[in-house]
Amino acid sequence: MGAARGEFSSRFGFLMAATGSAVGLGNIWGFPTNAASNGGAAFLFTYLVLAFVLAYPALMAELIIGRHARANAVTALRSISRGEKSRLAALLVGFAGIVTVSFILSFYTIVSGWMIAHFFAPIARLLGMQGLAAWLVEDSIVRNGAFVLLFMILTITIISAGVKDGIEKWATRLMPSLILILLLLIGYVLTLPGAMDGLRAYLVPDFSRVTDPALLVDAMGQAFFSLSLGVGTMLIYGSYISSDENLPTVGSLVALLDVGIAVMAGMLILPAMYVALANGVPIYDEAGGLIAGPGLIVSVLPALFSTMGFVGLFVAIAFFALMTIASLTSSISMLEVPVAYGVEHHGVERRKAAIIIGLLITVISLLIVLNFDPLFDMVVTLTTEVSQPLLGFAFCIFVAWIWHRNGILEEIQKGSPEVESGWFWKIWPVYVKYICPPAILLVYFQ
Ligand code: PFF
């Protein structure tokens, strides 16, 4: 198996792939709107604390298990288990991760499809195809189905090409473009009237909200979703990291980049909403809160772009290119989880596994498209609010309570021989053993 497994060719390659997985709709859409509806910088502050105190240790747990086992989640968790009971638990947790990530991908694909459709709409307008442009932005089953298919074809194509020639190659191309587009858009939007009100709404904290249980739950869910935790994604990417790599360092870089890009996205989305308000676009819902759900991205922002005239077409293209890139580098990391399992456990050839599993997930997506109202919110809630935190909890238990401490230390020492005397080894084992599991449960049961 060893020789046939892929590996990232460089630290940069891994960083772009893992950050690509982490940075997605969750950062550019979820984080800013969560912040807006939860006390602005109070949410930002809580999120930063939770991301580093709870999510970073859980991320490290996945990376370490993955690189140690050099295998998919099921095999990896089994390999660190001791005894029959924990091996059975490993099977259940590994499988639950595969099922969860497949369902996350099934709804993620639908939203990503909207992003591509909105990317093409201003292009159609520039080409004078007004009818097509109108169809692209109108919610319909045919459009949603067609773009689910297109997005899944892109995802399957990249995953079929493998770790180095697919995931790494595309992540190293797409992620720098994403950061560049984000910076350009922030620079532009901040010059527009109203933008400073948005920045104020984002950055002036309402600290009375910090102890609000809803804020805590939202911030933790956001942190786990954003770092792609609990479903084996970071585990499988960890399994492709070279043994010479310093895991605590690369893990911190991924967490920092993810959080940094989320914070930056807030500096785009909230100012953009207040610019929209200044241009006469309604940004509050009936309850008086800021519009946060799908309405924000597919109606408020497009309405804003259309008030900008000709320039607005280019701003719209850039914005939806940003969203499409963010979605694609995340969706490939999701599909890799079941595909790696199919390849390693059942000996299926990678391309075949990617096509078969990709098609199965496409069918689930299409079922959700056809029954959107009852299914969409239910799948989102079950996967991201119920399953993901519980699985994150399970990964912490595996690494801290089941795996031998010596095995963990040996694995980390591979890329950082001096780790035993450093800060990471002094803090992390205690955190992941005594602080993370009860804290995750506490916030979860809030
Ligand atoms: N981290 C991605 C985001 O913030 O949009 C979502 C995600 C990717 C969740 C990969 C789970 C996953 F396995």
Side-chain angles (χ1 to χ4, degrees), residues 166-307:
I167 299 174
E168 180 173 347
K169 182 163 132 190
W170 282 98
T172 49
R173 285 177 183 175
L174 293 174
M175 287 310 287
S177 330
L178 177 143
I179 294 174
L180 184 70
I181 300 174
L182 183 59
L183 288 174
L184 288 175
L185 282 172
I186 293 174
Y188 177 66
V189 166
L190 287 184
T191 63
L192 301 175
M196 289 306 139
D197 294 332
L199 216 49
R200 228 167 283 129
Y202 177 42
L203 296 176
V204 175
D206 172 4
F207 274 121
S208 63
R209 298 290 308 274
V210 169
T211 47
D212 183 349
L215 181 142
L216 278 177
V217 176
D218 280 356
M220 191 184 76
Q222 177 65 37
F224 270 78
F225 184 72
S226 186
L227 276 173
S228 315
L229 295 178
V231 289
T233 303
M234 287 301 179
L235 187 151
I236 197 73
Y237 274 14
S239 79
Y240 302 136
I241 304 182
S242 139
S243 300
D244 307 328
E245 197 50 89
N246 183 322
L247 285 182
T249 304
V250 289
S252 329
L253 287 174
V254 171
L256 279 173
L257 277 167
D258 179 53
V259 169
I261 294 179
V263 172
M264 273 163 54
M267 296 178 150
L268 169 66
I269 300 292
L270 287 164
M273 288 185 86
Y274 283 79
V275 173
L277 184 67
N279 289 3
V281 178
I283 63 168
Y284 296 103
D285 57 23
E286 281 130 37
L290 281 172
I291 295 177
L296 166 65
I297 303 285
V298 298
S299 69
V300 174
L301 294 182
L304 163 67
F305 303 144
S306 61
T307 62

Side-chain angles (χ1 to χ4, degrees), residues 157-172 332:
T157 309
I158 296 178
I159 286 304
S160 300
V163 177
K164 210 180 290 173
D165 297 331
I167 299 174
E168 180 173 347
K169 182 163 132 190
W170 282 98
T172 49
I332 55 178

